[in-house]
């Protein structure tokens, strides 16, 4: 019995120690502007506190889909550029192109012997990456191998999660939750955020920076006329979304060069910042320089106009210098996420590897904020693929506060009803059960603090459920003790037999519930996980309090020769 008393006392003191920072709100006081002046005893306690979930603190819950088909297409583009760069044209490779729907890599050789050489080269260099699909006299068609696609799938998801996490960390959100779901989905929870739309914009912005040459074979007037005809023919709205631009390119593919595509420079109202029009450009599909070659991006201000200045690494600087030297008087388009931001004429070679993105005119503070967000996105790197929003839930902080009050109120009401019932029905034994119940709640909250768990509204429901389960275990034990007493056993023997006979039923019922909690935790998200964590912790503490704590009370009450069980 002594070791049981020691373990109960240790667990109780440790729980109180862990919960003092939570109930004293130490964390918020430390993070206050005068946090350096906090009392000396703050250092004696741990930094961990119970984290409040999204539904209690307010914030955003997002489910995003990673568009893997774009990541695959980008990878085929990289491979085609690599082949062009490394395979000498003298060897007879005349063309390398990407084909969409289905995604394929098409290669054309000068003649049949050259086609054989190209095939041998790819077999040697891209054995694990590309699978030969068809071959003709001078052409070869490849697709990404199954193993490579599987690896790219996993790599893209991991990179997307990491990029989003870095952006959120830079944005300054405390305790965000970012996790991969099944397939190609990502779930994001941002508790306590004040400007949800700005945060969503930063997360979703692909940050794909490209420099492409403008194709001058079609005049701007002719291109505008063709785009208008397509809009009229397909009955397309006056927008510039990705889907609309894709439909325009698909319809115009026989009227523009095969290696070119249409992109738009979008005009924005300087006051409302809403889209008011767009100028079409015919661009080369191949990106000459990309954001991967960026060394730095920062906000600068000139003539009261914020803009983002870019500087490239050594490779980017060399390519930028070569590109501008070879295309003097040509126009170079700067694209961000597929939209043209600027298409200046190259007046001379630019050897220092520096460029800039202007944001137009408008409210100074809004432009400055836009420039800062763009810099953050460019510095943290582009997403490996576009993110599409599937679910968005915004919860206000007042709703969370109201949820806390109602949750606490319902927990107290449940506990009060249970306490009164147990005392009324089981007398002194009921009081022991109530004391163990209070310790149970104390242990649950302490365990949440210790393991960095998050308390959510379903988590509070889990605590209420724990109260019921804890009482259920005691009811089983007490009914067994009653049966033993009715069979004529002495108090101490009846208590021992009651606990022994009830043990299998208590363990079985709690074990099955624990397995359910594991399943919920593994496959659930957000609040569901919060419920599962609280439930599983509650089951373990329930077993401890029902089997150890109330047993100590009963053993103490029946220690004398003529002792009786008050039940």
């Amino acid at each position: 019995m002594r070791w049981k008393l020691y373990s109960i006392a240790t667990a109780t003191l440790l729980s109180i120690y862990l919960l003092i920072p939570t109930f004293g709100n130490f964390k918020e006081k430390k993070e206050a502007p005068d946090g350096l002046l906090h009392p000396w005893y703050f250092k004696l306690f741990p930094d961990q506190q119970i984290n409040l979930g999204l539904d209690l603190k307010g914030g955003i819950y997002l489910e995003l889909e990673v568009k893997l088909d774009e990541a695959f297409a980008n990878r085929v583009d990289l491979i085609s550029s690599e082949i062009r760069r490394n395979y000498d044209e003298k060897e007879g490779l005349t063309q390398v192109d990407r084909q969409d729907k289905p995604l394929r890599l098409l290669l054309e050789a000068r003649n049949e012997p050259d086609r054989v050489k190209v095939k041998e080269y790819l077999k040697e260099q891209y054995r694990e990456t590309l699978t030969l699909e068809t071959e003709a006299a001078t052409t070869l068609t490849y697709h990404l191998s199954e193993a490579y696609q599987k690896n790219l799938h996993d790599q893209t998801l991991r990179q997307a999660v990491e990029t989003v996490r870095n952006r959120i960390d830079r944005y300054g959100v405390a305790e965000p939750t970012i996790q991969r779901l099944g397939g190609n989905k990502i779930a994001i929870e941002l508790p306590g955020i004040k400007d949800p739309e700005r945060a969503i914009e930063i997360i979703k912005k692909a940050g794909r920076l490209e420099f492409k040459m403008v194709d001058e074979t079609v005049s701007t007037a002719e291109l505008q006329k063709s785009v208008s005809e397509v809009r009229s023919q397909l009955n397309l709205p006056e927008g510039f979304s990705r889907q609309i631009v894709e439909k325009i390119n698909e319809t115009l593919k026989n009227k523009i060069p095969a290696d070119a595509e249409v992109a738009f420079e979008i005009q924005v109202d300087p006051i409302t910042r809403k889209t008011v029009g767009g100028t079409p450009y015919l661009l080369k599909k191949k990106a000459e320089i990309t954001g991967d070659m960026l060394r730095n991006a920062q906000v600068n201000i000139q003539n009261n106009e914020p803009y983002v200045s870019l500087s490239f690494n050594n490779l980017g600087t060399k390519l930028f210098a070569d590109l501008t030297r070879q295309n003097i008087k040509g126009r170079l388009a700067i694209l961000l996420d597929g939209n043209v931001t600027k298409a200046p004429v190259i007046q001379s070679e630019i050897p220092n590897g520096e460029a800039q993105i202007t944001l137009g005119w408008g409210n100074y503070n809004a432009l400055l904020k836009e420039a800062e967000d763009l810099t953050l996105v460019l510095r943290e790197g582009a997403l490996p693929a576009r993110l599409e929003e599937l679910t968005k839930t915004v919860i206000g902080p007042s709703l969370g506060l109201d949820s806390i009050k109602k949750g606490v109120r319902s927990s107290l009401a449940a506990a009060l009803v249970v306490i009164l019932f147990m005392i009324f029905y089981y007398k002194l034994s009921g009081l022991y059960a109530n004391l163990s119940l209070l310790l149970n709640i104390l242990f649950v909250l302490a365990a949440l603090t210790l393991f960095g768990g998050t308390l959510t509204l379903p988590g509070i429901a889990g605590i209420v459920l724990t109260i019921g389960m804890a009482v259920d275990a005691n009811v089983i034990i007490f009914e067994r003790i009653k049966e033993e007493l009715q069979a004529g056993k002495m108090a101490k023997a009846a208590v021992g037999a009651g606990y022994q006979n009830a043990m299998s039923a208590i363990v079985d019922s709690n074990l099955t519930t624990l397995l359910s909690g594991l399943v919920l935790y593994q496959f659930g998200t957000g609040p569901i996980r919060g419920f599962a964590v609280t439930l599983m912790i509650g089951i373990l503490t329930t077993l401890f309090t029902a089997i150890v704590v109330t047993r100590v009370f009963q053993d103490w009450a029946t220690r004398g020769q003529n002792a009786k069980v008050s039940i």
Side-chain angles (χ1 to χ4, degrees), residues 26-43:
F26 285 9
K27 193 172 184 179
E28 188 172 323
K29 291 175 181 173
K30 285 180 182 176
E31 292 173 354
D34 59 349
L36 293 175
L37 303 177
H38 58 73
W40 60 270
Y41 57 81
F42 276 29
K43 296 178 182 175

Side-chain angles (χ1 to χ4, degrees), residues 14 234 413:
L14 180 62
L234 300 180

Side-chain angles (χ1 to χ4, degrees), residues 2 6 16 36 132 174 310 339 374 431 436 468 474 476:
R2 185 173 295 173
Y6 286 152
I16 293 171
L36 293 175
L132 179 62
L310 311 171
N339 294 323
L374 178 57
L431 181 63
S436 69
N474 283 297
I476 294 173

Side-chain angles (χ1 to χ4, degrees), residues 444-492:
V444 170
L445 296 177
L448 277 175
T449 307
L450 184 64
F451 297 116
T454 300
L455 186 64
T456 61
L457 191 58
I460 293 177
I463 292 176
V464 175
L465 182 59
T466 299
I467 292 172
M469 293 183 66
V471 170
D472 183 56
N474 283 297
V475 167
I476 294 173
I477 293 169
F478 294 163
E479 290 301 321
R480 293 285 183 273
I481 293 174
K482 275 185 176 181
E483 289 174 4
E484 299 300 329
L485 289 172
Q486 288 167 358
K489 286 188 179 178
M490 299 294 288
K492 192 174 184 63

Side-chain angles (χ1 to χ4, degrees), residues 64-94:
L64 302 170
E65 181 183 7
V66 182
K67 304 302 287 183
L68 287 172
D69 51 344
E70 292 179 13
F72 290 170
N74 291 339
R75 190 53 58 99
V76 170
D77 279 345
L78 284 175
I79 292 172
S80 65
S81 297
E82 196 175 80
I83 293 171
R84 283 195 201 100
R85 191 166 56 248
N86 297 331
Y87 193 86
D88 192 346
E89 286 187 8
K90 293 176 183 175
E91 296 294 329
L93 180 62
T94 58

Side-chain angles (χ1 to χ4, degrees), residues 544-564:
F544 178 74
T545 54
I547 296 171
V548 178
V549 178
T550 55
R551 178 67 187 270
V552 167
F553 289 137
Q554 294 286 13
D555 286 346
W556 177 80
T558 57
R559 66 189 183 283
Q561 287 289 334
N562 299 316
K564 293 184 178 179

Side-chain angles (χ1 to χ4, degrees), residues 374-543:
L374 178 57
T375 303
L376 185 153
V377 169
L378 292 175
R379 279 180 179 169
E380 295 306 325
L383 287 168
R386 190 165 50 89
L387 299 180
E388 188 170 290
E389 188 177 301
L390 299 178
T391 304
K392 179 178 77 173
T393 306
V394 180
I395 302 167
S398 57
L399 181 62
L401 192 62
D402 189 48
S403 300
I404 293 175
K405 288 178 182 174
K406 288 181 178 175
V408 171
R409 216 175 291 153
S410 61
S411 299
L412 290 176
L416 183 63
V417 171
V418 168
I419 286 170
L420 291 176
F421 172 79
M422 293 301 286
I423 292 176
F424 173 76
Y425 198 78
Y426 291 109
K427 303 181 179 63
L428 198 55
S429 293
L431 181 63
Y432 300 153
N434 290 335
L435 291 173
S436 69
L437 182 64
L438 295 177
L439 287 178
N440 194 356
I441 296 172
L442 183 73
F443 295 157
V444 170
L445 296 177
L448 277 175
T449 307
L450 184 64
F451 297 116
T454 300
L455 186 64
T456 61
L457 191 58
I460 293 177
I463 292 176
V464 175
L465 182 59
T466 299
I467 292 172
M469 293 183 66
V471 170
D472 183 56
N474 283 297
V475 167
I476 294 173
I477 293 169
F478 294 163
E479 290 301 321
R480 293 285 183 273
I481 293 174
K482 275 185 176 181
E483 289 174 4
E484 299 300 329
L485 289 172
Q486 288 167 358
K489 286 188 179 178
M490 299 294 288
K492 192 174 184 63
V495 168
Y499 273 92
Q500 189 175 356
N501 294 334
M503 191 65 69
S504 60
I506 294 171
V507 171
D508 285 352
S509 63
N510 282 280
L511 187 62
T512 51
T513 311
L514 182 67
L515 292 174
S516 303
L518 285 171
V519 172
L520 286 175
Y521 183 81
Q522 178 64 33
F523 297 105
T525 60
I528 303 298
R529 277 194 155 195
F531 173 77
V533 169
T534 312
L535 181 66
M536 288 189 291
I537 292 174
I539 288 168
L540 298 177
T541 55
T542 294
L543 288 172

